[in-house]
């Protein structure tokens, strides 16, 4: 049945679609002119901060109150610095340092960069408690595994970001840390005995005045045994609104993820999320064309007509989105000056942990080394093109450094033997990333270390073990500055 123009505009007022390209397509300009609430920028939309500023200015030319959001967590999940790697470490490194003033200052500096680029809401920080070391999607994005520590740094990050007049968005409510499934592909389940610990950082974020909360597509049986949080009135309205007292904007994680769209389709999941208590729908990470944006808008309007979604609930959702847009537009404070990477590199250096297991003078490296980097397939939140590693910064400090990178299927016995032969009479540095989660990395490490027990191991993910190699270096992150900090340790320039 055809929907009224007013109802379609009301549905548009809760949508944050993505799009293809580095300039706004015509369909997006039209929809913004008709009152589309917001836009989400992904890596595909970003070349550099100057281009993003021009892009967001073009968006505001169509709708001055448009909210522009992106996933700029710093560390592994970066959008503004997707082409270079982040100049700031991620949450876990900040938790290892455990200096709340540093976390706040870094977030303020990040907020300044975002504000200058025209971004008004940052889908950060990750307020998840990474209590499951095998978690495939959170890991280094969290501040740690201790709820109190994560709560302190969540508050500090929110303070810093919002002091730059960029809205923070604590995610992934009610906590994605104690799970072993990626919600891009399935429905993670939060254990009953873990939910209270998972809620601690969200309680702290709400006390700090966080402007937005992003839902996680998680099943929380202690609150709702049937519907994932994004679609559950018991979780979004009963728990987040009523029990925790959150009064800001609730936005969904990418609604096209299988955990919610699998059963209802993208449009059906969107309508049910608004009915459950969400105020905004994030779409377009994997599907970013006009047809999807139209499908979601029409499904929300149809849900009102069919009685699934009360129009008053939709209007209330649109009101909360408008209120956040008004806050973002009322800046009035000067944007802080850029620190030119100093804070980020300082934090990365402070997060480094070195375990020496040999009395031999392994470090600093006496000559140009052979570097072997073992590269796992990362989850969808991390852009595959974002550079990482130790080889490149080490090559700048020690010219003549040789770097070989191996992915799954390439680290065969024959290939490793060739590398061992090529590295004879040279220091060997082995770089891994979450080695404990990938059997092939662990096997490659065993093979290389059996031949070269004098090798240095650099773990750029979560270090489940520190007893590997003659020297083990844990960076707690793979951001560009984490690689730089590790290279400085390897060469003694610290």
């Amino acid at each position: 049945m055809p929907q009224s123009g007013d109802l379609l505009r009301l549905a548009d007022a809760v949508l944050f679609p993505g799009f293809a390209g580095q300039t706004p397509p015509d369909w997006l300009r039209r929809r913004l002119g008709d009152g589309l609430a917001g836009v989400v920028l992904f890596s595909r939309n970003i070349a550099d901060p100057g281009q993003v500023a021009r892009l967001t200015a073009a968006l505001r030319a169509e709708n001055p109150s448009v909210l522009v959001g992106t996933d700029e967590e710093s560390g592994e999940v970066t959008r503004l610095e997707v082409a270079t790697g982040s100049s700031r470490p991620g949450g876990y490194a900040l938790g290892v340092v455990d200096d709340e003033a540093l976390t706040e200052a870094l977030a303020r500096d990040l907020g300044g960069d975002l504000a200058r680029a025209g971004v008004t809401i940052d889908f950060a920080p990750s307020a998840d408690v990474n209590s499951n070391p095998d978690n495939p999607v959170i890991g280094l994005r969290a501040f740690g595994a201790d709820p109190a520590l994560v709560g302190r740094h969540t508050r500090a990050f929110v303070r810093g970001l919002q002091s730059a007049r960029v809205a923070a968005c604590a995610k992934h409510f009610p906590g994605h840390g104690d799970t072993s499934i990626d919600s891009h592909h399935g429905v993670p389940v939060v254990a009953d005995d873990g939910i209270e610990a998972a809620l601690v950082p969200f309680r702290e974020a709400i006390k700090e005045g966080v402007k937005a909360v992003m839902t996680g597509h998680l099943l929380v049986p202690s609150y709702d045994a049937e519907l994932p949080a994004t679609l559950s009135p018991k979780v979004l309205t009963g728990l987040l609104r009523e029990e925790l007292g959150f009064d800001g904007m609730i936005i969904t994680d990418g609604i096209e993820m299988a955990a919610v769209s699998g059963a209802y389709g993208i449009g059906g999941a969107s309508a049910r999320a608004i009915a459950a208590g969400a105020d905004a729908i994030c779409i377009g990470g994997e599907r970013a064309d006009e047809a999807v944006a139209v499908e979601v808008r029409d499904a929300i309007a149809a849900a009102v007509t069919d009685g699934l979604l009360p129009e008053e609930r939709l209007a209330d959702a649109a009101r909360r989105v408008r209120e956040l847009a008004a806050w973002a537009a009322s800046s009035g404070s000067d944007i802080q000056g850029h620190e030119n990477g100093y804070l980020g590199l300082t934090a990365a250096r402070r997060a480094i942990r070195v375990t020496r297991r040999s009395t031999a003078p392994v470090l600093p490296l006496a000559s140009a080394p052979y570097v072997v980097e073992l590269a796992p397939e990362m989850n969808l939140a991390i852009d595959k093109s974002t550079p990482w590693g130790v080889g490149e910064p080490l090559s700048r400090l020690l010219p003549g450094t040789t770097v070989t990178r191996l992915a799954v299927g390439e680290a065969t016995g024959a290939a490793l033997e060739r590398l061992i032969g090529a590295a004879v009479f040279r220091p060997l540095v082995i770089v891994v990333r979450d080695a404990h989660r990938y059997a092939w990395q662990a096997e490659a490490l065993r093979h290389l270390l059996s031949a070269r027990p004098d090798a240095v191991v650099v773990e750029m993910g979560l270090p489940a073990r520190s007893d590997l190699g003659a020297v083990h270096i844990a960076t707690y992150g793979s951001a560009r500055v984490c690689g730089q900090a590790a290279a400085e340790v390897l060469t003694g320039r610290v």
Side-chain angles (χ1 to χ4, degrees), residues 424-472:
V424 169
F425 307 123
R426 298 179 64 178
L428 179 62
V429 178
I430 309 166
V431 183
V432 295
R433 198 168 173 181
D434 283 341
H436 69 284
R437 292 203 301 111
Y438 300 93
W440 72 270
Q441 280 195 79
E443 177 55 27
L445 259 180
R446 185 202 63 75
H447 191 137
L448 292 168
L449 290 175
S450 66
R452 291 291 303 270
D454 62 326
V456 178
V457 174
V458 181
E459 170 62 83
M460 302 195 79
L462 284 179
R465 296 175 59 181
S466 60
D467 60 341
L468 299 168
V471 177
H472 184 275

Side-chain angles (χ1 to χ4, degrees), residues 8 149 224 236 276 320 326 334 410:
L8 291 174
L149 179 144
D224 191 328
L236 297 190
R320 291 183 192 276
D334 293 332
E410 298 174 342

Side-chain angles (χ1 to χ4, degrees), residues 311-334:
E311 187 168 355
E312 295 79 10
R313 168 78 274 272
L314 179 58
D316 183 60
R319 173 187 63 81
R320 291 183 192 276
V321 176
R322 286 196 307 272
E323 288 176 350
L324 181 57
W327 176 87
S330 66
S331 181
S333 62
D334 293 332

Side-chain angles (χ1 to χ4, degrees), residues 237-409:
T237 300
L239 175 57
L240 183 53
R241 287 283 186 225
E242 296 171 1
E243 184 177 329
L244 271 60
F246 179 62
D247 196 41
M249 187 184 82
I250 300 173
I251 187 168
T252 70
D253 203 349
I255 203 70
E256 64 264 50
M257 293 184 191
V260 288
S261 67
Y264 303 104
I266 294 177
S270 298
R272 285 167 172 79
I274 298 294
D279 305 305
I281 304 295
C282 175
I283 51 177
E286 298 162 62
R287 296 179 62 187
D289 54 25
E290 180 180 10
V292 172
V294 170
E295 175 189 345
V296 173
R297 179 199 64 186
D298 291 354
I300 291 173
V304 174
T305 302
D306 296 343
L308 173 68
L309 170 61
E311 187 168 355
E312 295 79 10
R313 168 78 274 272
L314 179 58
D316 183 60
R319 173 187 63 81
R320 291 183 192 276
V321 176
R322 286 196 307 272
E323 288 176 350
L324 181 57
W327 176 87
S330 66
S331 181
S333 62
D334 293 332
I335 298 172
Q336 301 292 321
H338 184 45
E339 292 280 354
N340 295 319
Y342 172 77
L343 275 174
L345 184 55
T346 296
R349 286 167 174 164
R350 290 178 62 184
I352 292 276
R353 297 294 182 267
V354 179
T355 304
R356 299 177 186 270
R357 302 182 58 248
S358 172
T359 57
V362 178
L363 296 183
L365 299 177
S367 59
Y370 202 109
V371 178
V372 179
E373 295 179 340
L374 304 178
E377 183 78 10
M378 304 310 297
N379 67 68
L380 288 174
I382 300 172
D383 193 281
K384 292 176 174 58
S385 66
T386 302
W388 68 278
V390 174
E392 191 275 332
L394 192 55
S395 296
R396 284 188 273 110
L397 295 178
L398 277 180
T401 294
T402 302
V403 185
T404 296
R405 179 169 289 188
L406 299 175
V408 60

Side-chain angles (χ1 to χ4, degrees), residues 65 67 119-122 158-168 209-212 320-333:
S65 63
L67 283 164
V119 174
T120 47
I121 177 169
D122 186 13
V158 168
R159 273 197 308 277
L161 200 59
Q162 294 188 171
S163 70
R165 302 302 291 184
V166 172
V210 69
K211 293 294 179 180
R320 291 183 192 276
V321 176
R322 286 196 307 272
E323 288 176 350
L324 181 57
W327 176 87
S330 66
S331 181
S333 62

